[in-house]
Amino acid sequence: MAASNDLAHWRGQVFDRLLQVVLLLGFITAIPSALLAASEAIWSIVALDLLAIGWIGVIWHWRAMPYRWRVWQFLIVAYLVGVGLLLKIGPVSQIYMMLMPVLAALLLGMRPALSTLVLTSLTIFFLGLHPDVALHLPGTPDSPILRALIVALNFLFIAAVLTLSCAFLLRHLEDSSQALSQLNAELGLTATALARLNDMVMIADVLDAPPGPGTVSATRIIFVNDAFERSSGYARAEVLGRSLLFQQGPATDTGELARIAAAMALAQPARAELLNYNKAGKAYWVEAELVPFTDADGKQTHWVAVEREIDERKKSEADIHRLAFYDVLTGLPNRRLLMDRIGHLLAAAPRAPAISALMFIDLDHFKHINDARGHATGDALLRLAGERLAQLMRKADTVARIGGDEFVVLLAHLAGDLESAARAAAQVAEKIRAAIARDFDIDGQSYHCSASIGVTLLPKAGQQAHDLLREADIAMYRAKAEGRNGIAFFEAAMQAGVERRLTLERALARALDASELCMHVQPQVDRHGRVTGAELLMRWPQADGSFIAPGIFIPIAEESGLIVRLGHWALREACRAARVLAQAGRPVPLSVNVSPAQFRQPDFAARVQAALAEHGTPAGALILELTEGLLIDQREASLARMRELAALGIRFSIDDFGTGYSSLAYLTSMPLYELKIDKRFIDDTPRDARGTAIVQAILAMARHLGLRAVAEGVETQEQADFLIAHDCDGLQGYLYARPMPLDDFLAWLALPRT
């Protein structure tokens, strides 16, 4: 449709110009011709010329009429002029008759041209029969029909050649115009689509051939779309003529640029992620794809670059990488990245032999700050601690947080020999210890913390990253065991100790499952030697008849979490023993130790009641021994639980009194029954003045508070005499009896007392 419109427009313009030319030439030729004819009194010619000029003038002036109607009017004028001239002038005027089909082909098309061609040919034939049209053909028979036919056929041939040539030319022109219009429409759509794409598009000319192998041809931008203008901030006019890679800057990856240049030198497509800079100098990430275009001869002519912004994707990738390899709270490397860096250091050790160090750092008593002041304060302290550690390190070192209040430092390439490396590691560890020991200022409040640091050196034959981390962890626990706020280097003996502890932990779990543990009873007596109570003590018998001391397996149970199971088992055993003693007619109050972890269990009170009900044991037969730390920590919850059990008749004793917290406020607020004086004080009594004074103070305080006092570890008569002289209510120790099985205790109770 567009092509037809274009051709019609072209024909209209040609027709208008033709009318102007005919009018001009008409005035130049027809007027003199009319004057000449008038001088010869050939008035028909005068009338014909004037009529033709006037008619054509009307057609030229009357432009509002339809185009085809005007053309046919013009062709009729040409036809009439041709007929008139043939009749008046003769065969020479046949040239006018040829005008009609040729113009019809140009101005109207093939069918009108063929119609006029037939009309003019027939007109020539029939006019050739007219006696006024003298058609003299020498050498032909004197036959008017034959002469007219010969002239008409020759006219038809020449006119047909001219007419069909014009018609075919216009038909081809019309077809080409349609194809060109379609191509222009497609190009227009393509240009519009490129302009409106969200991706940035740049097209560049290749200015010349590469100056040599492996070099890149110069490029000149000839097109950019709207998306490029929006993203880059450059107007189209500002970038036309520039190089295709003009947006690169100082932070753009030179390796990626070199890879693109290598591909362009070989005229190969290239894809890359680049950091571009916009007009304002702001960097933004793009994913770029460059494609070369060549001509029919294979010569490179253009490059097309399509870029899309990937800032959000890059940000997401960075966030994912940060979450995968960095601690969210402190921003330090996490365990995964730390292990990776240790692995790389170990892998490089054969090529660059040097001694490095791994430090495991644990913040001492961090839980107290976290519990007392809340997690916000604890998190702030961890961030500040991480910053202090990072400030002490070199660029080659790594500071990582691997969880809770635990940090790890990897010191790379300290020295070439063990002694120098150990000395350097010790110096850094001391700097770390001193840095953590400085007070932390958080929201205007000052907080004190210290660090226990374990150190191990690497590389070591056959060891992986997790082995080294375990060694540093073991050394850190040695530093804690030695009083905290210290530094300990890993030794092989530590590993052996850890392995023994792990072996004992597994064996203890099996022993508990197999009911291999037992309870021994140690009596408590008053000043007259009468039995006033007894303490149940846990024992772990071995196959050879020996026992593993509670001082060994109880800490292991506490560290592993088995202490809760052990505590519940001990509670049930105490209820069973109380029932056995009552059935034997020897009802004696039994004391049993309760661990803090066991006491804090939400169902502890329910378990006590269940154990009492299971064995029919009265609540007054049990005395639960608690530690001072339990009563200070979570005081309100502990107090509520104690009061709930006291209402049942359960009595409470403070075990190892005097060795825990200095605050004594809990003594007046909690339902306590007795205080047990720790063996360490009894050992120094009465020879040591200080120990003796402490024992006297405890006894006096218990008496004033109305609490029963029991002394543990009484082994000499001198100790017993002193305690009796100062009104101690109960004495417990080897002087009277060692811990014994329940059956032996019943037999011991049956012995006469002197």
Side-chain angles (χ1 to χ4, degrees), residues 157-475:
F157 174 73
I158 298 300
V161 170
L162 294 176
T163 301
L164 292 176
S165 296
C166 292
F168 286 137
L169 177 63
L170 286 176
R171 177 66 61 85
H172 178 71
L173 181 62
E174 184 176 7
D175 293 340
S176 299
S177 178
Q178 289 178 347
L180 183 60
S181 296
Q182 185 176 359
L183 181 60
N184 285 336
E186 292 175 357
L187 287 175
L189 288 173
T190 302
T192 302
L194 284 176
R196 297 182 179 180
L197 275 178
N198 289 327
D199 291 345
M200 295 170 277
V201 179
M202 293 182 287
I203 302 177
D205 277 336
V206 176
L207 296 182
D208 50 32
T215 57
V216 183
S217 302
T219 56
R220 177 175 59 89
I221 295 175
I222 61 173
F223 171 83
V224 295
N225 67 346
D226 296 344
F228 176 86
E229 292 185 282
R230 289 194 302 270
S231 296
S232 68
Y234 289 99
R236 186 174 284 106
E238 294 177 298
V239 300
L240 295 180
R242 290 199 185 191
S243 170
L244 198 60
L245 299 176
F246 80 96
Q247 287 185 275
Q248 277 60 65
T252 305
D253 189 345
T254 55
E256 284 290 89
L257 291 177
R259 190 172 62 80
I260 292 175
M264 292 181 69
L266 299 173
Q268 295 177 346
R271 184 190 295 269
E273 293 181 357
L274 296 172
L275 191 66
N276 281 354
Y277 290 80
N278 63 16
K279 185 177 179 180
K282 181 182 177 182
Y284 65 103
W285 280 98
V286 298
E287 182 182 60
E289 185 172 2
L290 287 83
V291 180
F293 281 82
T294 56
D295 58 16
D297 298 328
K299 180 182 177 182
Q300 186 180 337
T301 59
H302 294 85
W303 280 95
V304 175
V306 180
E307 298 178 344
R308 61 188 59 87
E309 287 193 60
I310 56 172
D311 274 340
E312 289 300 320
R313 193 184 83 192
K314 281 291 185 181
K315 182 178 181 298
S316 298
E317 289 176 357
D319 290 342
I320 292 171
H321 181 270
R322 188 163 51 252
L323 289 172
F325 293 101
Y326 289 87
D327 174 55
V328 175
L329 177 63
T330 63
L332 296 173
N334 60 12
R335 178 187 290 269
R336 182 177 179 182
L337 183 54
L338 171 71
M339 302 298 277
D340 184 65
R341 290 184 178 177
I342 296 174
H344 279 91
L345 192 62
L346 292 175
R351 300 188 300 272
I355 306 301
S356 303
L358 192 67
M359 298 183 179
F360 201 109
I361 304 162
D362 185 88
L363 303 184
D364 299 326
H365 301 306
F366 171 77
K367 187 176 184 300
H368 295 161
I369 297 176
N370 209 36
D371 291 345
R373 296 298 182 182
H375 290 290
T377 300
D379 290 347
L381 192 148
L382 290 173
R383 283 193 294 268
L384 292 173
E387 291 174 5
R388 291 186 185 181
L389 292 175
Q391 290 168 359
L392 295 174
M393 299 301 116
R394 305 166 299 172
K395 287 186 178 180
D397 301 331
T398 298
V399 180
R401 176 175 177 247
I402 62 173
D405 59 346
E406 297 174 336
F407 295 85
V408 174
V409 171
L410 176 62
L411 303 175
H413 306 120
L414 288 176
D417 61 278
L418 281 173
E419 184 177 352
S420 299
R423 187 164 52 250
Q427 292 173 352
V428 175
E430 180 56 33
K431 289 180 181 179
I432 292 173
R433 191 200 63 77
I436 299 299
R438 298 198 311 269
D439 286 351
F440 292 89
D441 186 8
I442 303 173
D443 295 332
Q445 297 290 325
S446 182
Y447 296 90
H448 178 75
C449 192
S450 61
S452 297
I453 305 172
V455 185
T456 189
L457 301 178
L458 63 139
K460 295 175 182 175
Q463 286 195 326
Q464 302 298 320
H466 61 274
D467 299 316
L468 295 166
L469 193 62
R470 185 177 65 251
E471 288 184 356
D473 187 25
I474 292 170

